[in-house]
Amino acid sequence: MTDRAMKSAGTGGKGGWHVTVLGGGAWGTALALAMLRAGHSVRLFARDPETVAAIGRGENPRYLPGIAIAPGIEATSDIEAALTGSDCVLAVTPAQALRTTLASARDHMPAGIPLVLCAKGIERDTGALLSAIAAEILPPNPVAALSGPSFASDVARGLPTAVVVAAGDETLAADLAARFSAENLRCYSSDDLIGVEIGGALKNVFAIAAGAVTGAGLGASAQAAMVTRGFVELRRIGAAFGARPETLMGLSGLGDLLLTCASSQSRNFAYGLALGQGKALSGLPLAEGVPTAAIAARIAAERGIDAPIIAAVAAIIEGTITVQQAVTALMTRPLKTETND
């Protein structure tokens, strides 16, 4: 842990930090509320002045309709004001926008404070994990990631949720997990940062596949098979990146996969559902699995990793095959033993 992080950790006990949340969407607002419940003072940065004004009125109707925003969150569209004096920053902008957001924050980011990545994905153009982008742009700041089976509306309402906080520095991960935990939010810690990132990124791709299978009316048996075999692919790619198997079996891997592959609350499942039903995709909320599918398929192909479901999702999104054609191709692949990975 850096000197600045240790200094912050030594003041005010478990709580008492000044936490900055970068991102005024559903997940950013939910995490701001979670940090408030954990005893921290919270600033939220959003680019949209209407979102800032709405949070000031105690609501965020665009992203969290019907959920009251407790007073105490200071919302601003001034990134310098949001970061000044911060003890910890949660980056909650979409994965494909992270590089731009961190570049904007670079000149105002206090050196040494933890940066916690809360988006899930792989950068489409470079194939970089989000922690690599953060290390490139903000080398003075230790990087962590928060992930796990958690819908923004559940966290915003204070419903029971368990997540994992990971960092390469085990002490930092444990400290962050303790500071973020509150009533109905249980945070586990991990030092397998790569494993947590891979699980969070790839589960979005399989959620699209699950939604497509459901939307096409292929039945619960097909969906269960797809999710199970998808998890095999997740483990293969995770192993290639150095992720630990037990991490992928945990909250940020299997746990998140089960949640997002079974509910239309998941933006990725909803996107896949529309794909399977042949509906228009314009107007749907951003699904991080869309850009991740393309880059994950490319990575798997370049590394010789067998990932037919990921390749099929990428092809369906590109419009080169239909859901039915993808399922037929998957069902007619050469037979092998189940444990032959």
Side-chain angles (χ1 to χ4, degrees):
M1 193 185 297
T2 66
D3 291 343
R4 173 63 187 269
M6 292 179 68
K7 180 180 178 182
S8 297
T11 59
K14 171 179 168 290
W17 267 1
H18 297 285
V19 175
T20 297
V21 175
L22 300 179
W27 190 219
T29 306
L31 286 174
L33 286 167
M35 295 301 103
L36 199 64
R37 294 187 193 110
H40 305 294
S41 62
V42 182
R43 295 194 197 104
L44 183 147
F45 166 77
R47 296 186 185 279
D48 178 19
E50 291 185 9
T51 298
V52 171
I55 292 174
R57 296 191 300 268
E59 59 181 352
N60 192 344
R62 180 178 178 184
Y63 297 107
L64 285 174
I67 296 179
I69 308 300
I73 297 173
E74 180 186 343
T76 178
S77 56
D78 183 339
I79 197 166
E80 180 177 5
L83 290 169
T84 299
S86 183
D87 295 309
C88 179
V89 173
L90 275 58
V92 203
T93 52
Q96 305 307 320
L98 180 68
R99 183 179 293 275
T100 299
T101 298
L102 295 187
S104 298
R106 178 167 43 201
D107 292 341
H108 314 296
M109 185 85 166
I113 69 168
L115 172 68
V116 184
L117 305 170
C118 304
K120 301 170 183 177
I122 301 172
E123 191 172 45
R124 175 176 45 207
D125 295 336
T126 66
L129 296 179
L130 304 190
S131 60
I133 297 172
E136 174 190 339
I137 297 175
L138 296 170
N141 298 95
V143 178
L146 183 151
S147 190
S150 48
F151 285 141
S153 59
D154 291 347
V155 173
R157 290 187 172 96
L159 298 178
T161 307
V163 297
V164 60
V165 180
D169 182 332
E170 186 176 2
T171 301
L172 175 61
D175 182 65
L176 290 171
R179 288 178 176 275
F180 293 171
S181 292
E183 184 178 2
N184 288 337
L185 180 64
R186 182 175 177 84
C187 299
Y188 292 83
S189 64
S190 170
D191 62 355
D192 185 7
L193 177 59
I194 299 300
V196 166
E197 286 190 275
I198 288 291
L202 295 186
K203 63 90 185 178
N204 287 333
V205 180
F206 301 120
I208 292 175
V213 167
T214 301
L218 300 178
S221 299
Q223 182 180 352
M226 191 287 307
V227 173
T228 304
R229 295 307 298 176
F231 183 61
V232 173
E233 295 185 18
L234 189 156
R235 291 185 64 177
R236 287 176 187 152
I237 294 178
F241 275 86
R244 295 200 295 264
E246 59 269 26
T247 302
L248 301 178
M249 287 292 295
L251 290 167
S252 61
L254 182 60
D256 213 354
L257 182 71
L258 293 175
L259 180 72
T260 54
C261 286
S263 173
S264 57
Q265 285 191 69
S266 162
R267 292 172 297 180
N268 293 282
F269 183 92
Y271 188 95
L273 193 68
L275 272 176
Q277 293 172 338
K279 293 183 176 179
L281 302 174
S282 58
L284 287 176
L286 172 71
E288 286 282 19
V290 173
T292 300
I295 187 60
R298 193 181 86 195
I299 290 171
E302 290 174 350
R303 298 193 179 201
I305 302 169
D306 189 25
I309 295 175
I310 291 175
V313 172
I316 292 169
I317 292 171
E318 290 170 2
T320 57
I321 61 172
T322 66
V323 174
Q324 279 289 358
Q325 287 171 335
V327 170
T328 298
L330 290 169
M331 293 297 289
T332 56
R333 295 178 77 236
L335 298 175
K336 59 182 180 179
T337 64
E338 183 184 19
T339 55
N340 181 12
D341 289 348

